Amino acid sequence: PNNRVRLTEVDGTTHDFVVTSAIDNADETETLIVTPAFASSVALVDIASVDYVKLSRFDTDRIEIKHLDGTGQSEIFLPMIDVKDEI
């Protein structure tokens, strides 16, 4: 299961957690129980994002970069696969 989350603060500080359980609040929200315990000293206004984190790797030994016509932009196709090992 995808039970790892990362909280990123607006200053770039990150905190990693493992979700140990979830409670359905019956109002279209859930309360996540995480370990280590979330530090209540982080204000909601200081949270930039909360993201699921998966262990994965490149599925190829070759990476191809396609440079677009004179725009300074490029495209990259980078296949990834999930790794089943524990982090």
Side-chain angles (χ1 to χ4, degrees), residues 4-84:
R4 297 181 184 277
V5 292
R6 173 170 291 148
L7 180 143
T8 304
E9 295 183 50
V10 294
D11 69 0
T13 304
T14 60
H15 308 272
D16 292 335
F17 302 96
V18 175
V19 177
T20 56
S21 65
I23 300 167
D24 185 347
N25 297 317
D27 62 357
E28 298 185 13
T29 66
E30 289 181 308
T31 299
L32 300 179
I33 309 303
V34 297
T35 186
F38 177 69
S40 60
S41 62
V42 178
L44 288 177
V45 69
D46 292 329
I47 298 174
S49 67
V50 178
D51 306 289
Y52 282 105
V53 179
K54 292 199 291 186
L55 184 62
S56 45
R57 67 172 180 81
F58 297 137
D59 192 30
T60 183
D61 291 330
R62 178 184 169 136
I63 298 171
E64 189 170 320
I65 300 171
K66 178 182 176 184
H67 297 279
L68 303 178
D69 298 330
T71 63
Q73 297 179 336
S74 59
E75 293 178 345
I76 185 169
F77 177 72
L78 191 56
M80 307 285 291
I81 61 171
D82 292 345
V83 177
K84 304 299 181 195

